[in-house]
mmCIF file of all heavy atoms in Angstrom:
data_model
loop_
_atom_site.group_PDB
_atom_site.id
_atom_site.type_symbol
_atom_site.label_atom_id
_atom_site.label_comp_id
_atom_site.label_asym_id
_atom_site.label_seq_id
_atom_site.Cartn_x
_atom_site.Cartn_y
_atom_site.Cartn_z
ATOM 1 N N VAL Q 9 27.047 -128.754 28.077
ATOM 2 C CA VAL Q 9 26.061 -128.060 27.239
ATOM 3 C C VAL Q 9 25.750 -126.649 27.758
ATOM 4 O O VAL Q 9 24.802 -126.011 27.317
ATOM 5 C CB VAL Q 9 24.749 -128.881 27.082
ATOM 6 C CG1 VAL Q 9 25.026 -130.226 26.421
ATOM 7 C CG2 VAL Q 9 24.031 -129.070 28.416
ATOM 8 N N ARG Q 12 25.157 -123.748 25.418
ATOM 9 C CA ARG Q 12 23.909 -123.811 24.651
ATOM 10 C C ARG Q 12 22.702 -123.830 25.598
ATOM 11 O O ARG Q 12 22.045 -122.833 25.811
ATOM 12 C CB ARG Q 12 23.933 -125.041 23.725
ATOM 13 C CG ARG Q 12 22.896 -125.004 22.628
ATOM 14 C CD ARG Q 12 21.511 -125.378 23.061
ATOM 15 N NE ARG Q 12 21.426 -126.760 23.555
ATOM 16 C CZ ARG Q 12 20.351 -127.266 24.128
ATOM 17 N NH1 ARG Q 12 19.266 -126.527 24.278
ATOM 18 N NH2 ARG Q 12 20.344 -128.502 24.585
ATOM 19 N N ASP Q 13 22.475 -124.959 26.224
ATOM 20 C CA ASP Q 13 21.281 -125.091 27.071
ATOM 21 C C ASP Q 13 21.355 -124.130 28.249
ATOM 22 O O ASP Q 13 20.350 -123.547 28.667
ATOM 23 C CB ASP Q 13 21.188 -126.548 27.568
ATOM 24 C CG ASP Q 13 19.765 -126.959 27.887
ATOM 25 O OD1 ASP Q 13 18.883 -126.092 27.930
ATOM 26 O OD2 ASP Q 13 19.533 -128.159 28.116
ATOM 27 N N GLY Q 14 22.555 -123.977 28.790
ATOM 28 C CA GLY Q 14 22.728 -123.074 29.916
ATOM 29 C C GLY Q 14 22.414 -121.642 29.522
ATOM 30 O O GLY Q 14 21.475 -121.022 30.041
ATOM 31 N N GLN Q 16 21.042 -120.344 26.933
ATOM 32 C CA GLN Q 16 19.784 -120.005 26.244
ATOM 33 C C GLN Q 16 18.685 -119.602 27.224
ATOM 34 O O GLN Q 16 17.701 -118.986 26.827
ATOM 35 C CB GLN Q 16 19.309 -121.162 25.366
ATOM 36 C CG GLN Q 16 18.619 -122.281 26.129
ATOM 37 C CD GLN Q 16 18.110 -123.383 25.215
ATOM 38 O OE1 GLN Q 16 18.518 -123.489 24.074
ATOM 39 N NE2 GLN Q 16 17.212 -124.189 25.715
ATOM 40 N N GLU Q 43 28.612 -128.829 23.637
ATOM 41 C CA GLU Q 43 27.595 -128.259 22.750
ATOM 42 C C GLU Q 43 27.712 -126.755 22.901
ATOM 43 O O GLU Q 43 27.531 -126.218 24.006
ATOM 44 C CB GLU Q 43 26.210 -128.736 23.169
ATOM 45 C CG GLU Q 43 25.147 -128.400 22.168
ATOM 46 C CD GLU Q 43 23.925 -129.252 22.412
ATOM 47 O OE1 GLU Q 43 23.844 -130.351 21.835
ATOM 48 O OE2 GLU Q 43 23.078 -128.832 23.209
ATOM 49 N N VAL Q 139 18.637 -135.439 20.059
ATOM 50 C CA VAL Q 139 18.112 -135.370 21.425
ATOM 51 C C VAL Q 139 16.593 -135.495 21.367
ATOM 52 O O VAL Q 139 15.941 -134.800 20.589
ATOM 53 C CB VAL Q 139 18.466 -134.016 22.091
ATOM 54 C CG1 VAL Q 139 17.848 -133.941 23.481
ATOM 55 C CG2 VAL Q 139 19.969 -133.824 22.172
ATOM 56 N N ALA Q 141 13.656 -134.611 23.525
ATOM 57 C CA ALA Q 141 13.262 -133.867 24.728
ATOM 58 C C ALA Q 141 11.957 -134.448 25.279
ATOM 59 O O ALA Q 141 11.256 -135.201 24.592
ATOM 60 C CB ALA Q 141 13.093 -132.392 24.385
ATOM 61 N N GLY Q 175 16.132 -136.443 26.991
ATOM 62 C CA GLY Q 175 16.095 -135.306 27.895
ATOM 63 C C GLY Q 175 14.964 -135.381 28.903
ATOM 64 O O GLY Q 175 13.816 -135.665 28.548
ATOM 65 N N ASP Q 176 15.321 -135.088 30.151
ATOM 66 C CA ASP Q 176 14.304 -134.862 31.184
ATOM 67 C C ASP Q 176 14.173 -133.349 31.295
ATOM 68 O O ASP Q 176 14.721 -132.712 32.189
ATOM 69 C CB ASP Q 176 14.741 -135.488 32.514
ATOM 70 C CG ASP Q 176 13.690 -135.305 33.595
ATOM 71 O OD1 ASP Q 176 12.510 -135.058 33.250
ATOM 72 O OD2 ASP Q 176 14.046 -135.400 34.786
ATOM 73 N N THR Q 177 13.444 -132.796 30.350
ATOM 74 C CA THR Q 177 13.407 -131.356 30.103
ATOM 75 C C THR Q 177 12.958 -130.556 31.325
ATOM 76 O O THR Q 177 13.453 -129.454 31.558
ATOM 77 C CB THR Q 177 12.469 -131.096 28.907
ATOM 78 O OG1 THR Q 177 12.879 -131.971 27.851
ATOM 79 C CG2 THR Q 177 12.522 -129.668 28.440
ATOM 80 N N ILE Q 178 12.013 -131.093 32.086
ATOM 81 C CA ILE Q 178 11.525 -130.338 33.250
ATOM 82 C C ILE Q 178 11.980 -130.974 34.565
ATOM 83 O O ILE Q 178 11.453 -130.664 35.636
ATOM 84 C CB ILE Q 178 9.986 -130.170 33.240
ATOM 85 C CG1 ILE Q 178 9.273 -131.532 33.205
ATOM 86 C CG2 ILE Q 178 9.572 -129.286 32.074
ATOM 87 C CD1 ILE Q 178 7.796 -131.446 33.594
ATOM 88 N N HIS Q 205 20.165 -136.593 29.453
ATOM 89 C CA HIS Q 205 20.242 -135.143 29.601
ATOM 90 C C HIS Q 205 19.251 -134.754 30.708
ATOM 91 O O HIS Q 205 18.048 -134.718 30.476
ATOM 92 C CB HIS Q 205 19.858 -134.520 28.234
ATOM 93 C CG HIS Q 205 19.748 -133.043 28.211
ATOM 94 N ND1 HIS Q 205 20.709 -132.244 27.636
ATOM 95 C CD2 HIS Q 205 18.791 -132.198 28.664
ATOM 96 C CE1 HIS Q 205 20.335 -130.974 27.723
ATOM 97 N NE2 HIS Q 205 19.169 -130.920 28.352
ATOM 98 N N PHE Q 206 19.796 -134.494 31.886
ATOM 99 C CA PHE Q 206 18.908 -134.229 33.025
ATOM 100 C C PHE Q 206 18.931 -132.769 33.449
ATOM 101 O O PHE Q 206 19.991 -132.164 33.587
ATOM 102 C CB PHE Q 206 19.313 -135.090 34.225
ATOM 103 C CG PHE Q 206 19.052 -136.553 34.021
ATOM 104 C CD1 PHE Q 206 20.088 -137.471 34.042
ATOM 105 C CD2 PHE Q 206 17.761 -137.011 33.780
ATOM 106 C CE1 PHE Q 206 19.843 -138.820 33.849
ATOM 107 C CE2 PHE Q 206 17.500 -138.361 33.583
ATOM 108 C CZ PHE Q 206 18.548 -139.268 33.612
ATOM 109 N N HIS Q 207 17.734 -132.259 33.691
ATOM 110 C CA HIS Q 207 17.613 -130.979 34.393
ATOM 111 C C HIS Q 207 17.405 -131.301 35.866
ATOM 112 O O HIS Q 207 16.861 -132.346 36.215
ATOM 113 C CB HIS Q 207 16.470 -130.160 33.802
ATOM 114 C CG HIS Q 207 16.850 -129.557 32.482
ATOM 115 N ND1 HIS Q 207 17.160 -128.233 32.330
ATOM 116 C CD2 HIS Q 207 17.040 -130.130 31.277
ATOM 117 C CE1 HIS Q 207 17.517 -128.008 31.063
ATOM 118 N NE2 HIS Q 207 17.452 -129.144 30.402
ATOM 119 N N ASP Q 229 24.842 -135.345 29.828
ATOM 120 C CA ASP Q 229 24.972 -133.902 29.625
ATOM 121 C C ASP Q 229 24.985 -133.191 30.971
ATOM 122 O O ASP Q 229 24.279 -133.593 31.908
ATOM 123 C CB ASP Q 229 23.769 -133.371 28.826
ATOM 124 C CG ASP Q 229 23.887 -133.650 27.340
ATOM 125 O OD1 ASP Q 229 24.901 -134.225 26.905
ATOM 126 O OD2 ASP Q 229 22.936 -133.280 26.614
ATOM 127 N N GLY Q 236 21.049 -122.513 33.343
ATOM 128 C CA GLY Q 236 20.101 -122.828 32.288
ATOM 129 C C GLY Q 236 18.690 -123.221 32.631
ATOM 130 O O GLY Q 236 18.183 -122.981 33.713
ATOM 131 N N GLY Q 237 18.039 -123.850 31.636
ATOM 132 C CA GLY Q 237 16.625 -124.207 31.706
ATOM 133 C C GLY Q 237 16.120 -124.460 30.316
ATOM 134 O O GLY Q 237 16.899 -124.770 29.432
ATOM 135 N N CYS Q 238 14.850 -124.350 30.087
ATOM 136 C CA CYS Q 238 14.318 -124.420 28.720
ATOM 137 C C CYS Q 238 13.233 -123.373 28.622
ATOM 138 O O CYS Q 238 12.235 -123.447 29.329
ATOM 139 C CB CYS Q 238 13.746 -125.793 28.382
ATOM 140 S SG CYS Q 238 12.949 -125.830 26.752
ATOM 141 N N THR Q 245 14.165 -125.582 35.207
ATOM 142 C CA THR Q 245 15.359 -124.863 35.656
ATOM 143 C C THR Q 245 16.575 -125.517 35.024
ATOM 144 O O THR Q 245 16.453 -126.301 34.093
ATOM 145 C CB THR Q 245 15.467 -124.856 37.187
ATOM 146 O OG1 THR Q 245 15.496 -126.208 37.627
ATOM 147 C CG2 THR Q 245 14.303 -124.130 37.818
ATOM 148 N N GLY Q 246 17.733 -125.206 35.571
ATOM 149 C CA GLY Q 246 18.976 -125.544 34.898
ATOM 150 C C GLY Q 246 19.265 -127.019 34.735
ATOM 151 O O GLY Q 246 18.663 -127.882 35.363
ATOM 152 N N ASN Q 247 20.241 -127.266 33.870
ATOM 153 C CA ASN Q 247 20.807 -128.610 33.731
ATOM 154 C C ASN Q 247 21.502 -128.954 35.039
ATOM 155 O O ASN Q 247 21.920 -128.083 35.784
ATOM 156 C CB ASN Q 247 21.876 -128.613 32.634
ATOM 157 C CG ASN Q 247 21.344 -128.220 31.289
ATOM 158 O OD1 ASN Q 247 21.344 -127.051 30.937
ATOM 159 N ND2 ASN Q 247 20.879 -129.180 30.533
HETATM 160 ZN ZN1 ZN S 402 17.949 -129.240 28.326
#
Side-chain angles (χ1 to χ4, degrees):
V9 299
R12 196 281 298 172
D13 206 349
Q16 79 178 17
E43 190 162 270
V139 177
D176 182 20
T177 309
I178 58 163
H205 174 105
F206 291 119
H207 285 256
D229 281 358
C238 175
T245 58
N247 300 90

